[in-house]
Amino acid sequence: MRELTLSKAVNEAIAEEMRRDPSIILMGEDVAEAGTPFKVLSGLVEEFGPERILDTPISEPGFTGIAVGAAMTGMRPIVDLMFGDFLFLVMDQLCNQAAKTHYMSGGKLSVPMVLRTNMGATRRSAAQHSQSLHALVAHIPGLKVAMPSSAYEAKGLLKSAIRDADPVVIFEDKLMYQDKAPVPEEEYLLPLGKAEILREGRDISFVATSSMRQVAEAAAARLAEDGVSAEIIDPRTIVPLDEETILASVRKTGRVIVIDEGHQSFGVTAEIAARIAEKAFYHLDAPVGRMGAMDVPIPFSPALEDLTVPTPERLVERAMASLRGEPVHGA
């Protein structure tokens, strides 16, 4: 099977869907000739023209609001938000308008739009361009939230999101755009709300989102050298969340650590850990563990920034602590 970068997989998904459905448009800052600062959308404007690949002014609230209106009136817009940190600028349009329109119209209106953005630290982009803010929008009923962890997932989840009747927010990790993975040439879609078991195990479960998949896989390989068998679950989407796959894994292994790059407090690790504690408590042989980013602004200093997010080494340490029945918490 051919291999594509995550960047190329996203580009290919959008191109395929735009060829299939003329109601799909894409808008954002520097999305046309520039192809975004990460060059993810390069070449699309040459095929689809500036009427469907729309460079916008530097006004995130403005073009996101336009997308909401366009979605309500028959279009299927894709909004490209240059950095996930800019979500704060569009919270009213996204959370008060897109998320609530279907409910407040009694089901008469829908907002089939996709907001693509990114996440992730350790790119030396400082505090205002390095945040992982997926928990913010996951908190809002009416929004779906996807977090691909490979090129294969990025393409399959994006195509499903574009066809979905509800607003979907997709977070792509900035450091993964050049990572390659096998991607089929034939069309495929990945359902929103279905997790993947990346690795079977018997001793401990790792529930890992987005780039934390790579952290979990590296840690599992090192644990295997000591005879510890770790199972890895990639939720793929945190809204909807595939509880059953996660709970089945925990009931099998009896131990679990949830790993996510969002800030530790009030975030994804807390929510998943709470559901496990509520619904699989009597199957646990150790406290639920969780590892997130430190509750600090992301430093610019490389030496400091690298300390703020989970690493394979720290995950191995906490897995061994869990096997000893000790609490597991912290970044």
Side-chain angles (χ1 to χ4, degrees):
M1 189 184 297
R2 64 176 184 162
E3 288 196 337
L4 293 183
T5 63
L6 193 150
S7 174
K8 178 60 178 175
V10 169
N11 186 296
E12 191 171 90
I14 293 171
E16 288 178 5
E17 291 302 299
M18 292 188 78
R19 293 181 197 121
R20 181 188 63 83
D21 186 348
S23 72
I24 297 170
I25 58 174
L26 187 149
M27 62 179 70
E29 297 159 359
D30 292 335
V31 297
E33 283 75 13
T36 80
F38 301 98
K39 305 304 177 187
V40 177
L41 306 180
S42 294
L44 293 180
V45 71
E46 283 79 8
E47 178 175 355
F48 300 104
E51 296 80 17
R52 296 183 69 191
I53 307 296
L54 300 150
D55 267 338
T56 66
I58 303 176
S59 177
E60 288 83 1
F63 64 75
T64 304
I66 289 171
V68 174
M72 291 170 60
T73 53
M75 305 298 287
R76 286 186 173 266
I78 303 169
V79 173
D80 183 285
L81 201 60
M82 188 181 294
F83 284 91
D85 311 70
F86 302 163
L87 272 170
F88 294 110
L89 298 168
V90 304
M91 292 299 273
D92 183 64
Q93 290 77 8
L94 184 64
C95 299
N96 269 339
Q97 310 305 327
K100 296 177 174 61
T101 293
H102 185 72
Y103 173 78
M104 294 184 70
S105 67
K108 294 180 180 179
L109 297 173
S110 59
V111 185
M113 64 175 278
V114 174
L115 190 147
R116 278 190 56 253
T117 192
N118 51 52
M119 56 177 282
T122 69
R123 190 176 173 269
R124 318 316 180 201
S125 297
Q128 295 177 336
H129 294 76
S130 302
Q131 298 170 92
S132 298
L133 301 176
H134 43 287
L136 270 69
V137 290
H139 185 69
I140 304 301
L143 298 177
K144 296 178 180 178
V145 184
M147 300 177 67
S149 66
S150 71
Y152 172 77
E153 293 181 324
K155 182 175 180 181
L157 290 172
L158 179 54
K159 286 172 71 72
S160 292
I162 292 170
R163 299 185 190 191
D164 202 273
D166 296 315
V168 182
V169 185
I170 293 188
F171 290 86
E172 301 153 4
D173 191 284
K174 296 187 286 288
L175 289 179
M176 296 176 65
Y177 278 133
Q178 298 309 310
D179 290 357
K180 290 185 175 182
V183 177
E185 291 191 40
E186 62 273 14
E187 182 175 76
Y188 69 96
L189 290 86
L190 295 177
L192 305 177
K194 181 61 179 174
E196 181 186 14
I197 302 172
L198 297 173
R199 178 182 180 130
E200 298 275 356
R202 64 178 183 275
D203 297 321
I204 189 169
S205 300
F206 294 154
V207 181
T209 63
S210 187
S211 62
M212 294 298 100
R213 164 186 178 161
Q214 297 177 351
V215 171
E217 288 175 332
R222 296 180 194 181
L223 288 167
E225 296 173 0
D226 294 324
V228 176
S229 175
E231 183 153 294
I232 303 175
I233 307 295
D234 176 6
R236 286 182 171 168
T237 61
I238 55 174
V239 182
L241 181 67
D242 184 358
E243 279 189 4
E244 286 309 310
T245 297
I246 295 170
L247 294 174
S249 178
V250 174
R251 288 169 184 145
K252 177 174 68 171
T253 66
R255 294 176 173 83
V256 59
I257 300 176
V258 186
I259 312 104
D260 178 77
E261 198 174 335
H263 291 302
Q264 176 89 338
S265 295
F266 308 99
V268 171
T269 61
E271 177 62 27
I272 296 177
R275 296 196 193 190
I276 293 168
E278 287 175 353
K279 301 179 181 182
F281 179 80
Y282 292 105
H283 296 269
L284 291 170
D285 297 319
V288 178
R290 58 194 187 99
M291 296 178 64
M294 288 183 181
D295 294 329
V296 298
I298 306 300
F300 173 75
S301 162
L304 294 177
E305 184 179 20
D306 290 344
L307 295 174
T308 66
V309 297
T311 64
E313 294 77 15
R314 291 200 285 275
L315 181 53
V316 168
E317 292 173 5
R318 282 158 174 75
M320 297 306 293
S322 180
L323 291 166
R324 295 191 297 267
E326 301 170 1
V328 183
H329 53 80

